[in-house]
Amino acid sequence: MNKKELVEELKRKMPVFSGTDEEREIRTALYIYIELGKMKEFDESYYFGNSKDIRRVMNEAVRNSENPDKISKKRKIICVTMAHLYKSILEDFGIQSRVVTKLFENGQIEHMSNIIDLENGKSISADPQLDMFRVQTGMCLKNFGSESEYNTNVINHEQLIQMLIDVGYIKSKDDFRDGKIEEVKEKIKGLNCNEEVSIILNSPEIYGGNENQGVVEAHKYYFSVLKMLLPDDFGRDVFLFQCSKQIEGKDSDFSFGIYANVENVEDLEVYLYAKSRGRLLRCDLENLIKLQEQGLKIGKNDVQSSVKILKSNMRKFEKKKIGDEPR
């Protein structure tokens, strides 16, 4: 839909907020923030791609940043386009905001986000792109009204929870996905890493309701889940890696996988993200090797430890299989 249609839909579905002018203004901005997070997904060519892909996507985003109609029609965005679209839609609701830019040392754009300037002179920060994976999985938001060098008003956790109830994101604080993730800790107590990963990835508390996630949002979500549930093992014995389909020497159809390193290669279980199912599915090493032969590229490069370890195990598996074959 174009921007006019998008704004009309937001106005039609938005609840009527009560309270002071400031409270209504903030809740309106928060509601739009959440709805945009549901509608869009981060461009995986930028997130997973090489330097050439990143430059191409960034240049296109900068060109499109002043054309909210064009951005509205796109499903895939990056921070540049999301920040400008959010600013433009807020204006249609009578809310003033600014796009703020963080630069790398070489002057290139690192990130863009928003500052909302309320009518009473207060300012609050808003980063709709960073919170997209949380919105799409029902997690508590981290980047609306958070502390920033630009804002003059910080929304504390309790205030934010009440606002999220008011805008219809949750009915109570117990609805956040964060709590459901924490419950899985009880399921994995005393298990080895392989068993822990299997339980985590096959728990409805983790994957349930995530069917409409973007690939990047899913990657960020599972990164967050593994950090929460396996803080000591993630990055040491449990790994997350990206993968892509190689077509005519170019990466496309980006995805990712998760596995736990094990002593016996035959026990190693790899899980690949299936976007059509909105979850990670088990893939044994034999089938992973076949997929690689059919054009699956594992990792961005072979230097990453997650990729080195996995490919080493794949080679061990192949040698063992050859050794086990009857002569």
Side-chain angles (χ1 to χ4, degrees):
M1 65 182 78
N2 60 33
K3 186 199 159 193
K4 182 181 178 182
E5 293 168 333
L6 176 55
V7 170
E8 287 174 353
E9 182 169 324
L10 288 168
K11 287 181 177 179
R12 179 172 57 85
K13 291 184 176 180
M14 186 182 295
V16 176
F17 302 124
S18 58
T20 65
D21 289 345
E22 177 186 323
E23 289 169 341
R24 290 197 300 272
E25 199 173 6
I26 293 175
R27 281 158 179 75
T28 299
L30 178 58
Y31 179 84
I32 296 167
Y33 183 93
I34 291 168
E35 291 305 304
L36 281 182
K38 294 175 184 176
M39 296 174 186
K40 303 297 182 181
E41 63 182 70
F42 198 85
D43 193 324
E44 62 266 32
S45 295
Y46 185 90
Y47 187 78
F48 291 119
N50 56 34
S51 57
K52 185 178 179 181
D53 291 328
I54 292 170
R55 284 196 301 272
R56 173 181 58 79
V57 176
M58 176 59 79
N59 290 338
E60 183 181 353
V62 171
R63 287 196 302 271
N64 291 339
S65 62
E66 300 303 324
N67 189 339
D69 252 352
K70 198 165 189 177
I71 304 170
S72 296
K73 293 174 183 177
K74 287 179 174 286
R75 166 73 173 170
K76 296 179 181 180
I77 53 88
I78 65 171
C79 63
V80 175
T81 40
M82 186 61 136
H84 281 87
L85 178 61
Y86 186 50
K87 177 181 184 295
S88 180
I89 292 174
L90 287 177
E91 287 175 358
D92 285 336
F93 284 81
I95 299 172
Q96 299 303 308
S97 67
R98 293 167 277 150
V99 173
V100 292
T101 306
K102 183 179 180 182
L103 300 175
F104 288 110
E105 289 185 1
N106 62 6
Q108 297 297 309
I109 296 170
E110 180 179 357
H111 189 63
M112 284 189 179
S113 60
N114 300 84
I115 297 296
I116 300 167
D117 295 315
L118 304 174
E119 286 188 356
N120 60 10
K122 294 181 181 178
S123 298
I124 60 171
S125 63
D127 198 326
Q129 183 263 303
L130 282 187
D131 264 339
M132 279 167 58
F133 86 90
R134 294 185 176 88
V135 168
Q136 292 178 18
T137 54
M139 296 181 77
C140 188
L141 307 186
K142 301 288 186 184
N143 298 284
F144 185 91
S146 56
E147 190 170 350
S148 163
E149 61 183 296
Y150 303 100
N151 65 343
T152 59
N153 188 47
V154 175
I155 299 172
N156 66 44
H157 185 63
E158 288 71 27
Q159 289 173 321
L160 180 61
I161 290 175
Q162 185 56 55
M163 289 179 184
L164 291 172
I165 292 172
D166 293 341
V167 302
Y169 181 68
I170 54 169
K171 292 181 180 179
S172 77
K173 63 180 181 181
D174 297 328
D175 291 342
F176 287 125
R177 178 67 65 103
D178 310 61
K180 296 174 183 177
I181 295 170
E182 287 290 334
E183 289 174 7
V184 178
K185 279 186 177 179
E186 292 299 315
K187 292 184 178 183
I188 61 175
K189 278 185 177 179
L191 302 180
N192 62 44
C193 287
N194 213 27
E195 293 168 332
E196 288 175 330
V197 169
S198 178
I199 293 292
I200 291 168
L201 301 185
N202 287 297
S203 292
E205 298 94 331
I206 302 298
Y207 70 78
N210 295 345
E211 293 80 10
N212 296 320
Q213 261 189 306
V215 173
V216 174
E217 284 66 46
H219 183 276
K220 289 185 172 185
Y221 169 66
Y222 279 100
F223 183 93
S224 177
V225 167
L226 294 175
K227 281 191 73 175
M228 287 173 67
L229 296 179
L230 303 174
D232 298 326
D233 297 322
F234 183 40
R236 188 186 68 180
D237 296 309
V238 176
F239 299 96
L240 189 155
F241 64 95
Q242 75 174 66
C243 53
S244 57
K245 189 73 173 177
Q246 283 273 291
I247 301 175
E248 297 180 356
K250 295 182 180 179
D251 294 343
S252 63
D253 196 16
F254 294 94
S255 190
F256 64 94
I258 293 171
Y259 72 95
N261 194 28
V262 292
E263 190 171 331
N264 185 353
V265 69
E266 292 182 323
D267 294 331
L268 194 147
E269 297 179 346
V270 178
Y271 290 82
L272 297 179
Y273 182 71
K275 186 173 182 180
S276 60
R277 299 281 297 277
R279 59 176 295 191
L280 287 115
L281 301 176
R282 186 179 178 276
C283 176
D284 59 39
L285 285 184
E286 186 170 2
N287 280 310
L288 185 64
I289 291 166
K290 287 180 182 177
L291 289 172
Q292 185 176 238
E293 291 169 350
Q294 293 166 7
L296 181 71
K297 180 183 177 182
I298 298 172
K300 184 177 274 190
N301 55 60
D302 290 343
V303 177
Q304 298 165 295
S305 58
S306 59
V307 178
K308 287 170 66 176
I309 293 170
L310 179 56
K311 289 191 173 181
S312 174
N313 279 310
M314 290 167 70
R315 289 191 293 270
K316 288 177 185 176
F317 180 82
E318 285 185 298
K319 287 180 181 178
K320 192 173 191 315
K321 187 180 176 184
I322 293 170
D324 289 342
E325 290 178 353
R327 297 180 182 276

